[in-house]
Amino acid sequence: MDLLSAWIASTSALPFLCLIWGTHAQQAFRTEPRNLTVGMGATAVLRCEVLRASGTVQWVKDGLLLGPERSLPGFERYSMIGNPKRGQYHLQIAKAQLEDDAPYECQAGRSEDSGAIISSTAWVSVQIPPSKPYFEVDMATPWVAGKKYTVTCVAPDAKPVAEITLFKDGVELTGAESFTTSGSKDKLLNTRAEVTVTALSSDNGRQLACHANNPAPFRPVETTVTMSVYFPPQPPVIVGLEREEVRAGRVLVLECVSHGGNPLATLHWTKNGEILSMIWEEDIVAQKSSSALRLKITPEDNQAVLCCECVNLVTRSPLSVSRKITVLFEPAEVKLVGELAAVEGEDLILSCYATSSNPPVQIRWWLGYKELNASAVTVEEGDNGGMTTMSNMTHRVSREEDGLELTCEAFNKGTHFSKTQVEKISIYYPPQKIWLDAPPQDDPLPSGTMVRLICFSTGGNPTGTLTWLKNGRVVPTALKQTSFDRGVARELVLVLTASDNLATYHCDAKNEAKKTISAHTKLTVHFPAVSVTITTKQKELRRGQTLTLECESGSSNPKASISWSLGMLRFQGAEQPPETAQFGGVSVRSSLSLNLTSQHHNQRVICQAFSPALAEGANTFFKLNVFYPPEFSPEQPSEVQVLEDEMATIPLLVSANPEEVSCIWLHRREKVVKEGDLRYHWPDDNSLEIRNVTRKDAGVYTVKCTNDEGVDQTSIMLDVQYAPSVKAEKDPVVVELGGTADLICVADANPVTDGMFSWSFLGEGEVEMGEVTQEDESGLLTIHDVTRAHAGLYQCTADNGIAPAAAVGVQLVVQFKPELRKGAQWRKVASRGDGTTTAEVVCQAEGIPRVDFSWEKNGVRMDFANPRYEERTVREGSFHTSTVRVVNVSAALDYAVFSCTARNSLGEDKLDIQLVSTNHPDPPTSFRQVDATHDSVTLEWIPGFNGGLRQRFRIRYRWDQLASFLYMDVFPPRATTFTVTGLQPTTTYNFSVNALNAMGESDYADNNAVLTITTKERSALEVPTDDDSDSQITSGLPAYLTVVFTVVFGVVLLLNSLGCYLGVRWKKRRGPTGGRGGSVLDGKKNKEERSSQSTASNSNKYESREKINAAAQRTLLIDSGSETDSNVYESYGAERSHHYYYPAGDYMPPLRPHPEEIRRLDSQSHLYEDVRHSGLYQDILASSLTSRPPLFDHRLPHQWNEWRSPTHPQQGAERAREFMDVQQPQRDSDLPFELRGELV
């Protein structure tokens, strides 16, 4: 059977089996899957071969069908491999994972010829290596040597279970216990191993290792940790202290070293328990701690204990080492005690003391080179454990030992140190000789003489001290003592006085030897009286009494003579015989009698005692206190001036004795008291103060003053000055033209000064002021030959030097006969005569007094009862305006001459005003140049009558090289000043200007005159360089705009060429027949040829113009509206010229702004087409239903709000159309009545 089965299973037997079983053979497994173990990540193959497979073959994983397709979609790592023709359906699992660990079956499904078959179950076991093991022990906290610790290692997530082995420094640890727990996923297991470890100091820095292994990995998985074990250090040692005896002053360098320990030990030094240093160093490589101590030894360190301690985290108590030191030191001081000086023959007793030292010192004495014997030595305990030494010595001195050195020597055997104290001794003995250098006693000296007394002394040790005495008393003013080779000297400088006469001067010499020698002398001195005194028997002195004074002079040598003086007066008194006095002199007496007055009060009576021998004397004075009633000073002012509103002070210069004076002030016989007016105030000197003084306070003030001796009075004038106030004597002042005007103002002022009046004109402009005179408080301005310019407000100012100056206005009214406005715009009024419009005929006159108007029409006085005519008169100052309103103007009835007559009491004036149909404007006048630069010219003109319609202006110009004219429309249209720009430097141009309205255009200004102007030369600063121009163009224009502008310019150029061609053909067709446009041009050519003059007028013929600097737009005048049948302008040059200007609608010239100039309209200006009233550039719209306001408003500015038509809501649009300057085709209804073709 086995042989048969093998044969059937062979491939060679398949054909035969097919023949045997035919088509009804049963499916069977040739190879069934078997259990398989595979490592994670490896490829597993389960084999399955089916014989005669007729059903669907697929795999089942843990009960889940994987699908019949060999790629097994949905299972990326699964696929069926093998040759399906041979029935091979092997299941391949790539990169095996834990999820692949399951039972698998191979199934062949039922078919028509065979039933289903299922293979035996095969298990795929996937081996998972353990994850990296880890320790469950706190290694962050170091271990302590000697303690036991439990070390746990975990090998997680292994299949099958892992085995753990623990090592310490490569040596396996025994006694570990292991157990298993569930892993993080199903089928995974964790292994835990625990072992007990005793920490050793040698374990510090060594590793613990944990090895985990199962059949899956090729090598074990391990993890390691480094052990940190704390252990105590070794006891410290001190290096550098070989001997315990140390000399003071030595610097000990000691080192304390401690080996081992984890952590390394901390060190600190102490001396006698006090910390010296807590600084140490650690050497990790050598595993030691060291601390260096640098200690300078002092005597205080004697018997001190030095200690070094070490400690770390695990030492139970500090480890230390100690050394006791003995310090050898010298005494800090050796000093001599006792007196180093003695008188010869006496004993010198001294002591030598040495402070504490170790060991104690030995003391020896020396005087010069001779050793002296000590009488006693004492040794006692001293500081810092040392001993003090005291030695006493007694020696009898002689004069020869003076100045020798006495030496005390202290020797220390331990340090071999010797210290000495050396002092010089002094032996005293007295001076030997003394003498004086002084003037002779018999020569008299005048007082005040400087005398020098010099005392000399020789010998003695020390040299003697010299002392000067006067009559036995020490003289403190003697100079300092000086020395010379053999002794000393002291000088006494005296300025002789009376006390020096016959005085005895001694000089004593003495030193420490206590023996005195002396010398003396006397002086004879002439001196004046030492004192002068004045006495009287009278106690009180009064005016009118006789006073007797007695003067006594003190001692003098020789006798003095007495004299008296009072101010500049000198007197000789009655002198008595002399008497003996002190200092060896004599005294004298004298008496004087005076008759007292008030002038003697407080004066001094002087008594002088004069010595002829000395030519000098002494004096004293007696101050007189004379009682008298009040007296006023000759300097008392009789008048006081003060400004109003300030404080007036009336001084009171009064004297009296006693000085307590009571004064009463009277003004206008009334007593001035403070209670009556709080403005009154009396200072301490009885002067009167008046605060906020007024002109009412002026006048005479009388003051009466009284004291205990009597009464007196005086008077003072108070002059209150104040700023002027002024008023006009007559206002207004009316005078006729050519007469004389007197303007008078009167001032109230104090003072009234010459030239205090001044006059000024407050009106506009400057006028010639008349003659200014003054009569007292009146100022007079006289104007002769008064003109209208003199009319206006004058100001009279009064200034007397006290601020503020006062002023008053005086109006001067000049009367003159009426004068009517008669400019071009005043002589015509235009209106349509179709019966639908209203015209206003305005007549304005200036005159004083009141002007009355009368009107005539074609010479016939007008009847204003007719409702078609209304008259209204408005007066504004000297201007009078009469307006005749013509309602429903008829050409047949109202086109006439209206005569306006203005009259007043001084005369009359007349003006004819023509009411006409609307028509083309009149030419401008006064065409002139305002300014010229290198590339521009500014022009100005006066507009003519506008024809009843809105007019605008056009500039025509050319230069020699140009065959035809260029034209430029003025912008804004009604401006009368315009700047033509874009001109060439140093080029001569011809300019003309004309006016245009909807009806046509005027001739050129000033009878077609031409204004010739040459532009200026361009300055160097204004010439742009090519580089600058190129850079500006390049930087200012983006590239895409350059392309756009190039294309547009090309299209415009093409259209322009086409327009030129069509224009030439159209001109040729019209040439034979002519046209109205051509005739107009021909007429203008003839006029141009007839006019060759160049005018530039500066006159202002029309006062109503208003200058407006405007921006302008250059144009070629295409469709300008100036010719109704042609939109082409011919050149005004020669007839043979064929230059034409054709339409160029795309041409957009630049607009250049110009700064506006503001010109104020004076009160006499005529408001001509004022843009502020009607708005900018109003169009005139034809209408058969509404009336239209007049284009020329003759009313004054304050009347503009009257008669304004409310029927123009489209004015804004009209202004916009005018601004765009576009002419619309005219309908017949838009034309004036006269041009509609109707019969008038």
Side-chain angles (χ1 to χ4, degrees), residues 1017-1028:
E1017 183 179 358
R1018 182 194 301 268
S1019 64
L1021 297 177
E1022 296 172 341
V1023 179
T1025 63
D1026 295 338
D1027 296 339
D1028 295 339

Side-chain angles (χ1 to χ4, degrees), residues 145 231 242 255 319 359 593 702 714 755-756 774 949 966 1006 1020 1171:
F231 57 92
E242 292 79 9
E255 185 180 19
L319 304 176
S593 297
T702 301
T714 188
M756 64 182 290
Q774 179 179 344
L949 298 174
L966 294 178
D1006 301 327
V1171 298

Side-chain angles (χ1 to χ4, degrees), residues 592-756:
L592 175 68
S593 297
L594 290 175
N595 293 323
L596 298 177
T597 67
S598 61
Q599 301 301 321
H600 289 143
H601 178 62
N602 282 335
Q603 290 196 13
R604 296 180 177 182
V605 178
I606 300 174
C607 175
Q608 182 180 36
F610 183 75
S611 175
L614 298 175
E616 65 175 312
N619 57 64
T620 188
F621 66 89
F622 181 84
K623 188 174 182 180
L624 301 176
N625 182 24
V626 181
F627 293 97
Y628 63 94
E631 293 182 1
F632 293 97
S633 171
E635 299 178 359
Q636 171 68 41
S638 61
E639 182 179 0
V640 175
Q641 293 181 346
V642 66
L643 296 181
E644 190 173 27
D645 295 330
E646 294 186 357
M647 183 173 71
T649 301
I650 305 177
L652 184 61
L653 304 181
V654 63
S655 63
N657 190 23
E659 295 182 352
E660 290 76 11
V661 178
S662 175
C663 296
I664 300 175
W665 288 86
L666 301 175
H667 181 221
R668 297 173 185 172
R669 299 182 180 179
E670 292 184 1
K671 184 178 179 181
V672 177
V673 294
K674 187 173 183 180
E675 292 74 11
D677 193 337
L678 296 179
R679 298 183 298 117
Y680 295 132
H681 179 68
W682 286 269
D684 294 338
D685 59 356
N686 289 319
S687 299
L688 175 61
E689 291 182 354
I690 306 176
R691 299 170 181 173
N692 300 326
V693 67
T694 66
R695 61 194 69 179
K696 294 180 180 180
D697 296 321
V700 177
Y701 287 79
T702 301
V703 58
K704 293 182 179 180
C705 295
T706 305
N707 70 350
D708 294 339
E709 299 295 322
V711 63
D712 197 3
Q713 71 175 27
T714 188
S715 297
I716 304 103
M717 171 64 73
L718 178 62
D719 182 17
V720 179
Q721 299 181 349
Y722 48 89
S725 61
V726 65
K727 64 181 179 177
E729 187 174 90
K730 183 179 181 182
D731 185 30
V733 176
V734 180
V735 64
E736 292 186 4
L737 190 67
T740 299
D742 291 321
L743 283 67
I744 303 174
C745 64
V746 180
D748 177 17
N750 183 27
V752 175
T753 59
D754 293 335
M756 64 182 290

